[in-house]
Amino acid sequence: MSNHRAESVRRAAVIGSGVMGAGIAAHLANAGMQVLLLDIIPRSLTEEEERIGLTLHHTQVRNRLAQTALQRLVKAQPAALYDAAFAGRITAGNLEDDLAGLADADWIVEAVVERLDVKRSLFEQIEKVRKPGTIVTTNTSGLSVAAMAEGRSEEFRKHFAATHFFNPPRYMKLVEVVPTPDTDPAVVAKLIDLCEKRLGKGVVLAKDTPNFIANRIGTYGMLVTLEEVVRYGLTVEEADALTGPAMGRPKTATFRMLDIVGLDTLLHVVDNVRERSSDPEELAVFARPPVLEALVASGRLGEKSGGGFYRKKKAAGGGSEIESLRLQTMDYGPRKQISSTVIDAAKAAKGAAGKAKALLAAEPGSRYSLFAWQTIKRTLLYSAKLTGVIADSIAEIDRAMKWGFNWELGPFELWDAIGLRRSVQRMSDEGDEVPEWVLQWLEAGNESFYRIAPPEDGSPAGTVAKRFYAAAASGNRYVFTEEEPGADDISLAALKESGRTVLSTSGASLIDLGDEVVCLEFHSPNNAIGGDILTAIQRSTEEVSRNWRGLVIANEGRNFCVGANLMLLLMEAQSGEWEEVEDIIRLFQSSMLGLKRLDRPVVAAPHRMTLGGGVEACLPADQIIYSPETYFGLVETGVGLIPAGGGSKEAAVLAAQRAGGGEIQPHLNALFETLALAKTSTSGYDVGRIGLRRPQDRVIARQDARIAEAKRAVLELDRAGYAPPQEKRIRVAGREGRAVLQLGVKALQLSGQVSAHDALIGAKLAHVVAGGNAAPGAEVSEQYLLDLECEAFLSLCGERKTQERMSHMLATGKPLRN
């Protein structure tokens, strides 16, 4: 291959426009590639095609499958494309008329039906037209990759592998790259580079075995859960309460996840392993569970058919209710809330490791604890047994389960968390066969599969703690291998392990990133901004001004920041402590203004949910580096308030900047609508649609690289001779502009589209962003606008309906329209 760089792949082709094929095509388009999406030619006309006089020979008919898939992509929810305009990078075609177009592709992805004969036939066609050097990959979820390439030329086989995307391709982090014995190592390296750097994925290198890594272990875990549910007489709800967040797993737990995946799909995966396995123990576990066969036979396939282990039913008084399957009778009844000391102990524990330990330790010998132990134990032993079979290292297995099934801890990380030596002793006492390599590992004096090695004495300044894991066999014993971070990655956790924390509060820390740049990391619950974070911001700006070249604002939480501490505000408001509420708002405003006025460059790197106060913590930055998956929005109106940490003020600033010397009103109207309707972006690219993206802000492909990229941006600003932005007066629309906004709100109220309380919130927001009672075109200070924010916020906090909205959001996580 002449060019191993991921950037050399500019044109791609995807064959198969089903859910996975279309989703992969969308994500390749997200990465900037021109994509040819092909499917078979339909054999019959639709009623609409017949009505307008088309025949099977018309291009519109011949391209129908791929073209329809493309139309669905544009409307898909959740969005498959970062920006709907990216659909223009995809061209729909068919496998007869457009097959020759594959000659222009740098990468061809096959995503057709999971049948070996169909795939082999397709690869024979592809080989006739592809240019030498073009990579061809299959998106199979578990068929033999080597068997697919049988009969193809040596040159084709050198450039052939599997790239197993997880559904939906945009949102799921995992891609399993599966080479064959004939795949050129340079091609494997290029695929890994391509998937990581261009597509922003987490890649694991899997072996060509049934269902690869994640589906093999994940399916096994679901099957043993089914067995243990029957053994301990648990209900569907009880099992899900124990195998969800209490075990460090997603809320979908086991049975809800099965319904989402599809029970027929799971049976297909089960059959695939059973047909290719010779292990009697594995064959027993991968037998078709009778309950699954019964549900599939009756057409109850899960969510896609309207019901599986759960179903939604219309309630007598309107609305709907969820029912759950009664495993003994196979009929449904009302879903029950589960509570026990075992589950409560797990909920109260901090972190996935703490929850797992609490789950097993609470009420030893109880049904719940025994069930949890058996499901965990069997999955751990199976993962250990397959180490070296499905992947070369435990790290690949752990990453696959975290990225593909959203487990907080991989199997071996979980094993460390519950105590390796103690748990192995219990397994042995219970008569379980522990893989020999695990026993040897313990005999060698190791107490865990992973270890953190802090910098040695005398190490150069800035040396980071290293993470090691049990990786490869050496003389029949596994050895620790260093876990190398990506060249573009910075781990805040590793930096803290290395003693690089500069200052810390209960809600945030300032961490030395090296090169005289520090990172302000939020780490409060849900990264909600309260006094602890605001205090850390003020202390950090003082510290950075004195001793550092610049500041990055980023963290490694599940979400960047979900907003301000709503519980604290509600408690103070309900108690009538208005001075306390005002103090909180003034502290928030002064902290954000301090970031904006800092005499060192500030770059924010948000990811995932960045809402309300999280947005207000980003807008003061000189530049924002968005992760592609950034859901960015000032959403305070959803809880009956307005942005008052500088967000409303920044909307006025943006409107004035965009107007230049021209009319402010059109720009203000758009931003007012964004704030009033609590609009949120569907991606980092989509921030532009809601009007909150500035010219200097940008999006990067890899979320994991955002902190390193933000650090680079800080250094660039510093090298360019950074000077803080001078405080400028802001030209506002004034009272006439306010009247225009309020007239629009009133019209919505009269038409019944918004409530009276929505109209009140809108009127107060209009007053702030237009500049209050100022004359049209008047220039005001930032502090003037901040004062308006504070006044409006305080008055809304006193409204009963606002307090009801705040309470409802805290209780349900959903907005209330009252």
Side-chain angles (χ1 to χ4, degrees):
M1 295 177 62
S2 60
N3 193 335
H4 301 321
R5 290 174 59 83
E7 291 82 357
S8 67
V9 177
R10 297 182 178 89
R11 304 186 70 85
V14 178
I15 302 174
S17 65
V19 171
M20 283 304 298
I24 292 168
H27 200 56
L28 300 186
N30 286 337
M33 299 179 198
Q34 295 296 317
V35 184
L36 178 62
L37 178 61
L38 304 181
D39 212 318
I40 58 174
I41 294 174
R43 296 180 179 178
S44 60
L45 297 172
T46 65
E47 290 184 6
E48 174 62 17
E49 288 167 344
E50 287 182 346
R51 188 185 65 78
I52 62 177
L54 298 179
T55 71
L56 290 174
H57 301 292
H58 279 88
T59 300
Q60 182 178 331
V61 175
R62 294 171 74 83
N63 292 348
R64 185 214 308 151
L65 294 181
Q67 188 62 48
T68 301
L70 181 53
Q71 291 166 355
R72 283 198 302 267
L73 284 178
V74 176
K75 300 175 183 177
Q77 292 297 330
L81 295 158
Y82 290 152
D83 187 315
F86 291 177
R89 297 170 179 170
I90 305 174
T91 302
N94 68 75
L95 273 169
E96 291 183 22
D97 304 328
D98 303 295
L99 188 68
L102 299 182
D104 297 326
D106 304 308
W107 181 16
I108 300 169
V109 182
E110 170 273 311
V112 302
V113 64
E114 284 282 84
R115 280 179 45 188
L116 191 58
D117 59 335
V118 173
K119 291 178 185 289
R120 279 177 171 167
S121 175
L122 178 59
F123 292 134
E124 183 178 3
Q125 294 181 63
I126 290 171
E127 186 168 21
K128 293 175 183 177
V129 295
R130 72 177 271 277
K131 64 188 177 190
T134 295
I135 295 176
V136 180
T137 64
T138 173
N139 185 56
T140 182
S141 59
L143 296 178
S144 169
V145 184
M148 289 182 206
E150 289 177 3
R152 305 279 59 79
S153 68
E154 180 183 356
E155 197 277 338
F156 184 100
R157 296 197 309 274
K158 283 175 63 176
H159 294 86
F160 180 72
T163 45
H164 180 213
F165 290 81
F166 277 62
N167 190 35
R170 169 183 163 180
Y171 296 96
M172 293 302 292
K173 184 172 181 177
L174 180 63
V175 171
E176 293 174 317
V177 170
V178 190
T180 74
D182 296 324
T183 311
D184 186 339
V187 170
V188 177
K190 183 169 183 175
L191 279 171
I192 292 172
D193 193 52
L194 183 62
C195 291
E196 287 182 344
K197 293 183 179 176
R198 291 287 297 281
L199 305 185
K201 295 300 177 187
V203 177
V204 298
L205 195 59
K207 292 180 179 289
D208 190 5
T209 56
N211 297 105
F212 311 135
I213 302 174
N215 279 343
R216 180 84 167 263
I217 292 175
T219 302
Y220 179 90
M222 290 178 180
L223 293 174
V224 298
T225 299
L226 273 170
E227 285 186 16
E228 299 300 338
V229 163
V230 174
R231 177 181 176 185
Y232 288 99
L234 268 58
T235 65
V236 165
E237 297 99 319
E238 287 175 320
D240 275 356
L242 290 162
T243 59
M247 205 176 275
R249 310 275 171 81
K251 290 181 181 179
T252 47
T254 298
F255 292 107
R256 179 78 182 97
M257 174 65 78
L258 287 172
D259 280 352
I260 293 171
V261 169
L263 307 189
D264 54 338
T265 302
L266 181 73
L267 283 182
H268 172 76
V269 174
V270 168
D271 292 343
N272 192 42
V273 174
R274 191 179 63 255
E275 289 166 7
R276 296 175 62 189
S277 176
S278 58
D279 182 339
E281 183 182 341
E282 187 172 61
L283 287 169
V285 173
F286 278 86
R288 284 180 155 224
V291 65
L292 286 185
E293 287 196 302
L295 286 168
V296 171
S298 64
R300 291 179 281 182
L301 309 180
E303 200 171 76
K304 61 187 174 186
S305 69
F309 287 101
Y310 294 97
R311 75 177 183 186
K312 187 178 287 188
K313 179 186 175 184
K314 288 185 177 179
S320 61
E321 61 183 8
I322 303 296
E323 294 185 321
S324 61
L325 186 72
R326 303 296 185 252
L327 296 172
Q328 293 77 18
T329 61
M330 297 298 286
D331 60 3
Y332 295 91
R335 183 173 61 174
K336 298 177 181 177
Q337 293 296 320
I338 306 300
S339 178
S340 79
T341 54
V342 174
I343 295 169
D344 290 345
K347 285 182 178 178
K350 291 187 177 180
K355 291 181 185 301
K357 284 192 283 190
L359 190 65
L360 299 179
E363 289 190 21
S366 70
R367 278 193 317 148
Y368 286 177
S369 283
L370 289 173
F371 166 81
W373 165 248
Q374 290 295 330
T375 54
I376 288 173
K377 175 184 74 173
R378 294 178 69 181
T379 304
L380 299 184
L381 289 171
Y382 187 66
S383 301
K385 185 177 181 180
L386 291 180
T387 302
V389 176
I390 59 175
D392 281 330
S393 78
I394 66 166
E396 300 282 8
I397 294 173
D398 279 350
R399 291 186 197 117
M401 299 316 300
K402 290 191 291 183
W403 295 342
F405 276 73
N406 293 320
W407 291 8
E408 288 189 51
L409 298 174
F412 296 96
E413 292 172 326
L414 177 59
W415 210 334
D416 280 354
I418 65 174
L420 176 58
R421 189 173 295 277
R422 182 171 59 253
S423 61
V424 167
Q425 184 62 56
R426 182 176 176 181
M427 293 169 184
S428 299
D429 292 345
E430 292 175 357
D432 295 298
E433 184 180 346
V434 179
E436 184 62 26
W437 77 266
V438 176
L439 296 175
Q440 290 179 348
W441 184 250
L442 287 168
E443 288 169 8
N446 297 300
E447 297 297 326
S448 63
F449 291 116
Y450 289 89
R451 78 174 186 202
I452 300 291
E456 298 177 1
D457 292 341
S459 297
T463 303
V464 180
K466 295 179 180 179
R467 191 181 194 220
F468 294 83
Y469 59 88
S474 175
N476 294 324
R477 289 186 182 274
Y478 277 66
V479 297
F480 274 123
T481 297
E482 184 178 348
E483 190 170 37
E484 295 281 357
D488 292 327
D489 298 349
I490 289 177
S491 167
L492 297 180
L495 289 169
K496 288 191 286 188
E497 288 278 356
S498 304
R500 301 274 284 276
T501 302
V502 178
L503 60 85
S504 185
T505 70
S506 59
S509 295
L510 194 65
I511 303 163
D512 179 4
L513 300 181
D515 298 315
E516 299 179 70
V517 177
V518 281
C519 177
L520 179 63
E521 175 205 35
F522 302 161
H523 46 66
S524 65
N526 293 316
N527 286 342
I529 296 178
D532 48 2
I533 287 181
L534 297 174
T535 299
I537 290 173
Q538 295 203 333
R539 289 176 59 193
S540 295
T541 53
E542 294 169 3
E543 169 68 22
V544 172
S545 179
R546 285 194 304 264
N547 299 315
W548 304 87
R549 293 171 69 183
L551 176 67
V552 168
I553 304 174
N555 64 69
E556 294 172 335
R558 176 170 176 76
N559 297 299
F560 177 79
C561 177
V562 298
N565 187 331
L566 198 60
M567 176 64 79
L568 175 62
L569 286 168
L570 178 60
M571 289 171 57
E572 300 289 8
Q574 288 178 330
S575 301
E577 299 289 348
W578 301 118
E579 289 185 4
E580 293 291 334
V581 175
E582 182 171 1
D583 286 347
I584 293 170
I585 298 307
R586 294 296 187 187
L587 178 61
F588 204 134
Q589 291 179 339
S590 63
S591 299
M592 298 306 121
L593 204 56
L595 285 172
K596 187 169 186 177
R597 296 279 175 261
L598 184 61
D599 58 355
R600 299 286 187 270
V602 178
V603 177
H607 67 285
R608 293 184 58 83
M609 288 174 64
T610 304
L611 305 176
V615 172
E616 290 174 312
C618 291
L619 291 177
D622 298 290
Q623 188 177 16
I624 303 174
I625 306 289
Y626 293 104
S627 157
E629 300 301 340
T630 306
Y631 319 126
F632 198 80
L634 290 162
V635 296
E636 286 84 351
T637 58
V639 289
L641 298 167
I642 69 161
S648 300
K649 177 260 295 181
E650 287 296 324
V653 171
L654 285 171
Q657 288 174 343
R658 288 168 185 168
E663 188 180 353
I664 296 174
Q665 196 70 49
H667 303 282
L668 187 62
N669 291 349
L671 285 160
F672 173 76
E673 183 177 298
T674 286
L675 272 59
L677 300 181
K679 290 184 178 180
T680 304
S681 75
T682 60
S683 73
Y685 292 94
D686 192 51
V687 177
R689 176 185 62 85
I690 64 171
L692 296 178
R693 186 170 167 185
R694 308 164 310 178
Q696 69 269 36
D697 301 335
R698 56 194 174 92
V699 188
I700 60 167
R702 290 188 64 235
Q703 177 170 300
D704 292 345
R706 68 189 184 281
I707 299 175
E709 189 60 34
K711 176 186 170 182
R712 276 193 286 270
V714 165
L715 292 172
E716 281 299 315
L717 287 167
D718 179 66
R719 277 193 288 268
Y722 179 79
Q726 290 185 332
E727 183 174 357
K728 295 180 180 177
R729 295 181 70 79
I730 301 123
R731 191 163 65 93
V732 294
R735 49 184 174 268
E736 289 184 8
R738 178 191 64 194
V740 171
L741 298 177
Q742 291 179 341
L743 185 62
V745 172
K746 191 66 178 177
L748 290 174
Q749 184 186 0
L750 292 173
S751 66
Q753 295 181 60
V754 301
S755 69
H757 193 56
D758 289 324
L760 173 66
I761 299 162
K764 289 185 178 293
L765 177 63
H767 182 75
V768 177
V769 297
N773 294 319
E779 293 186 345
V780 301
S781 68
E782 286 191 87
Q783 190 58 55
Y784 170 82
L785 292 172
L786 290 173
D787 290 341
L788 292 179
E789 275 189 357
C790 187
E791 179 186 355
F793 189 93
L794 283 168
S795 66
L796 286 169
C797 277
E799 295 283 340
R800 178 179 57 82
K801 288 183 180 293
T802 283
Q803 293 180 14
E804 289 173 357
R805 290 190 180 192
M806 295 166 76
S807 296
H808 190 268
M809 176 62 73
L810 287 166
T812 68
K814 297 178 181 178
L816 171 68
R817 290 298 178 196
N818 54 354

